[in-house]
Amino acid sequence: MWWSVNSRTRLVGRERELTTVRRLLRRHRLVTLSGPGGAGKSRLAAELCPSGPVVELESVHRPDLLWHVIAFSLNVWEEPGSPLHATVVRALAEHRLLVLDNCEHLIREAASAVAELLAGCPRLRVLVTSREPLDLAGEMCVEVGPLTPADARQMFVECGGAPELADAVHDHLPLAIELAAARTDVPARHRTLDAVIGWSYDLLAPAEQSALRRLSCLIGDFDLDLAAAVCGDPAEVVQLMASLRAKSLVVRTPSSSGARFRMLESIRLFGLARLEESGEAPVTFERLVDHLIRAIGDIAAAPMIENNTNTWLASQEHQLLQAVERVPRTDPRHTWLVAGVVHVWYLRGSYSEAMRMACAALTHGPLTSHAEMLLFRAAWLAGFTGDEVAALRFAEALVAHPAMSRPVWEARGWNTLGYARGINSDLAGARAANERSVAAARSLGDPCLLMTFLNNHAWHLMRVGDLPGALAAALESLSLGVPDGFRLMASRHTAGVIALAANDVDQAEHHFAIALRVGAPESLAQAGVLEGLGVVAARRGDADRAVVLMAAAAATRRSGGSRQEEPWNHMVSDARELALSSAGPRRASQAWRLGERLDHAGLTAYVNSGQRDEPLTVRQQQIADLVVEGLTNPEIAVRLGISTGTVRSHVTQMLSRLGLSSRTQLAARTARAR
């Protein structure tokens, strides 16, 4: 999340606004920071709400994607049969504060969304930044305008400007001050933000002006490769970016995936106007489209879409969306661009939105020669959204596509058809298609692809009752030695389910425990792994443990876990109901709360500890002894001279390590050990 042209600059001259907004947020549920562009509304919101959650809307140019962006920002996944906005409302039911930043270009849609959120989330408060109010009942507006002359002077100096030039900028908007401070010779005639941006642009060298114009076609943040693509001068792009950044016309955004940059919208719109005036807009946008198309083509040709590729493609969402709008549907490249967007939305769990876009592209005229990627994703999306007939139609179209002449797509196409036939109850046809996909993957010689397709085949064989065949396929999948946490977790889960189907509870636990330990914590398969461990516990008669693990699985699904499949969903639901019934309402409630609050590390410790009595630390033993005496967390904190949060953390850790689900069980165990 990026808040300011220079986020390192201390917030200056906003003490009154900070005090006012904090007071209003205590008493009212909707507060809007309104004011002109460059006034520092986003920076002020960052100071007020440093930990979020924040929904950044500056880069969103399609009103119909508002709920999609809110859901993604909050890591909320679409639920089958439920509108996305209803899912978001449920996810925010217990939240206390939400920030919607830069709403002015979506003012009607933002107002409607906020009204629905406030109506459905009684505890929620919303802080909005916008150039105009939402005009909703109960809205409290705080105007964020220019700084006072004294504060403007102080900010200019703190931004590195020469003190003797501090009075030259009379606009007194923070952005204008920061831009002016980046220069050493501020003319007195620059009194407005537009004038300061224009003046800064006029002082650039021709190559810098050209780069600024061309970079303005990029929405949101971008990397150096994309900057080089639209600028058309890869050899000079690093130096140009460094120069523009030094002048505060481009800023670097926080990222763990390499250098990324962006322009403030006021500067981007100025540059976009200059781009149109120069006549360079068509060729610049063509460069952007060509860059995206080449990347998607490389992705489509690769045996597997790797995690780093997914991350990169997700970072291009805004560029892909504007490219889709600019390229006509009659252009074959349109299908490739739509495939890129659909894949990104698929990764985020926005299945219905992705399916609508895919169908619109696939039903518009004859299929293009570049439709394989979109057909592939559409077939799986149709299955996930419950349209089995469409899934089969798209899968059959993929198998008939010319791309099937390439080994990668031969394997991928037959695997997709196997999935589609399976959900349409054509089990024999699904088996035949899966066998062809596995054979194609073997001939291709890619272990990652083979591991994935063997795992899919193992699941299908288990479904049709061929447990020996299923086990052989699952074990071969695991024997390939692919060091990928996502695939390892999925294959271990499948092996565990097969063991449960064969009533081998110990072997099932072995596979599930390894999956949790070595798999990727963010994998879609983690929910299924936790459910598997819950089934194991239920079959052993350990109801409390089963409920803890089922609760953890449910919490994981809410944050993006995979969907249940036949016959696994019946096995899980039966075990869950048995555990809840056996534990009884009170114990089940305690165990469920524990499972919901365990993070990945806590879950791993809980699973590994089992019911073993592991030694406590000295501090934990002190706390456990006081729990036996019936003291509450605050009382223990006072007795030991530590914070209540520290006590709470120690209690949670002890419950996790000892396989317990309540303070009562902890007290009983401690008393027995005395």
Side-chain angles (χ1 to χ4, degrees), residues 478-606:
L478 291 169
S479 72
L480 294 173
V482 176
D484 182 286
F486 292 87
R487 294 184 178 89
L488 283 171
M489 182 170 274
S491 293
R492 284 286 179 185
H493 174 255
T494 300
V497 176
I498 294 169
L500 283 175
N503 293 316
D504 190 342
V505 176
D506 290 341
Q507 189 64 21
E509 182 180 43
H510 170 75
H511 286 301
F512 292 138
I514 292 177
L516 192 63
R517 186 172 69 251
V518 304
E522 64 273 29
S523 171
L524 299 181
Q526 178 165 298
V529 168
L530 293 170
E531 287 167 341
L533 289 165
V535 173
V536 167
R539 290 194 181 184
R540 288 177 173 163
D542 192 342
D544 287 14
R545 186 174 178 81
V547 173
V548 169
L549 293 164
M550 291 293 185
T556 302
R557 287 196 186 281
R558 284 198 297 272
S559 62
S562 58
R563 294 161 185 252
Q564 294 173 298
E565 299 181 56
E566 294 284 0
W568 178 238
N569 55 347
H570 292 308
M571 191 184 297
V572 170
S573 60
D574 289 346
R576 182 169 52 242
E577 292 305 315
L578 174 63
L580 290 169
S581 175
S582 300
R586 186 165 177 270
R587 281 169 48 204
S589 177
Q590 293 172 338
W592 193 271
R593 287 197 299 271
L594 173 61
E596 284 188 315
R597 65 175 182 260
L598 288 176
D599 58 13
H600 182 74
L603 285 167
T604 302
Y606 185 85

Side-chain angles (χ1 to χ4, degrees), residues 179-194:
L179 289 173
R183 313 298 309 205
T184 58
D185 50 349
V186 187
R189 66 181 179 276
H190 295 298
R191 300 176 180 273
T192 67
L193 176 59
D194 286 343

Side-chain angles (χ1 to χ4, degrees), residues 40-65:
K41 300 182 294 295
S42 296
R43 178 69 177 84
L44 184 59
E47 191 77 14
L48 288 160
C49 312
S51 58
V54 177
V55 179
E56 167 56 61
L57 299 177
E58 181 181 86
S59 302
V60 182
H61 291 262
R62 283 183 48 179
D64 59 312
L65 295 182

Side-chain angles (χ1 to χ4, degrees), residues 191-210:
R191 300 176 180 273
T192 67
L193 176 59
D194 286 343
V196 171
I197 297 175
W199 164 70
S200 297
Y201 176 80
D202 291 339
L203 290 178
L204 296 176
E208 294 171 330
Q209 290 182 340
S210 176

Side-chain angles (χ1 to χ4, degrees), residues 54-139:
V54 177
V55 179
E56 167 56 61
L57 299 177
E58 181 181 86
S59 302
V60 182
H61 291 262
R62 283 183 48 179
D64 59 312
L65 295 182
L66 177 61
W67 284 106
H68 166 85
V69 174
I70 295 174
F72 171 66
S73 301
L74 300 174
N75 196 27
V76 173
W77 284 51
E78 182 180 295
E79 295 178 358
S82 176
L84 184 58
H85 62 90
T87 303
V88 172
V89 170
R90 284 194 296 273
L92 284 170
E94 299 302 319
H95 278 62
R96 299 303 177 91
L97 182 63
L98 175 69
V99 178
L100 292 181
D101 193 33
N102 293 305
C103 296
E104 54 273 351
H105 59 302
L106 301 169
I107 199 71
R108 291 177 57 187
E109 294 76 14
S112 176
V114 169
E116 186 168 351
L117 287 169
L118 293 176
C121 308
R123 298 185 178 184
L124 184 67
R125 283 171 166 73
V126 180
L127 178 63
V128 170
T129 75
S130 175
R131 296 187 186 185
E132 59 178 295
L134 300 185
D135 196 25
L136 290 175
E139 179 181 22

Side-chain angles (χ1 to χ4, degrees), residues 308-325:
N308 59 342
T309 302
N310 286 333
T311 300
W312 179 86
L313 198 58
S315 72
Q316 307 302 316
E317 179 181 10
H318 295 305
Q319 320 307 340
L320 286 165
L321 282 168
Q322 69 162 332
V324 166
E325 296 296 326

